[in-house]
């Protein structure tokens, strides 16, 4: 058994696991739920790890993952044009106003408590 991939993002580990298993490579994920203990042990020791069961499949698995990782890396930055609707803009402004009002009220209450 050999470790072929590790990442802090379980989504990527799961994605690569699915790709490898579709290609007939048996895998195992270690530390799948270890991030729950991140406060107790160093965070780098709880990253999810993808292991291949057979050592003979390591080179194939590694090249498949490398190909997938390098596929979208053409050196150009992707720009996403994202626009919010007018209604969503209004909701965000209202939410911001409410949060600022609550923080102001809390601060004023705290100052009043300190003065008295």
């Amino acid at each position: 058994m050999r470790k072929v991939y590790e990442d802090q993002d379980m989504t990527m580990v799961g994605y690569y696991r699915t790709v490898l298993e579709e290609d007939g490579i048996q895998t195992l994920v270690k530390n799948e739920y270890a991030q729950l203990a991140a406060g107790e042990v160093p965070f780098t020791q709880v990253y999810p790890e993808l292991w291949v069961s057979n050592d003979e499949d390591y080179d194939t698995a590694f090249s498949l993952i490398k190909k997938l990782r390098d596929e979208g890396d053409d050196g150009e930055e992707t720009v996403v044009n994202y626009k919010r609707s007018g209604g969503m803009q209004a909701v965000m402004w209202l939410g911001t106003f409410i949060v600022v009002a609550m923080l102001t009220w809390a601060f004023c209450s705290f100052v009043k408590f300190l003065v008295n």
Side-chain angles (χ1 to χ4, degrees):
M1 224 157 89
R2 290 180 66 183
K3 180 171 68 171
V4 71
Y5 183 74
E6 144 182 85
D7 196 337
Q8 66 184 7
D9 185 7
M10 182 59 200
T11 309
M12 293 307 298
V13 174
Y15 170 68
Y16 291 135
R17 178 184 195 181
T18 303
V19 168
L20 294 179
E21 287 184 351
E22 284 179 354
D23 208 43
I25 299 173
Q26 291 182 346
T27 61
L28 172 74
V29 175
K30 291 186 178 181
N31 298 336
E32 189 170 1
Y33 301 107
Q35 289 182 333
L36 299 173
E40 304 294 323
V41 295
F43 67 94
T44 55
Q45 292 182 4
V46 295
Y47 283 170
E49 300 173 346
L50 182 61
W51 292 67
V52 291
S53 298
N54 300 324
D55 290 344
E56 298 84 29
D57 293 333
Y58 176 80
D59 292 330
T60 307
F62 185 80
S63 63
L64 248 166
I65 290 174
K66 183 170 176 13
K67 178 183 168 201
L68 287 171
R69 290 184 73 190
D70 295 343
E71 201 170 76
D73 189 19
D74 55 3
E76 292 184 23
E77 186 176 325
T78 305
V79 178
V80 178
N81 187 8
Y82 180 74
K83 273 186 119 173
R84 293 187 185 103
S85 66
M88 184 54 125
Q89 197 86 15
V91 168
M92 290 187 70
W93 278 110
L94 180 62
T96 303
F97 174 75
I98 290 171
V99 168
V100 169
M102 289 175 62
L103 288 173
T104 304
W105 174 80
F107 179 73
C108 290
S109 298
F110 181 67
V111 169
K112 188 176 180 182
F113 171 76
L114 289 177
V115 171
N116 291 333

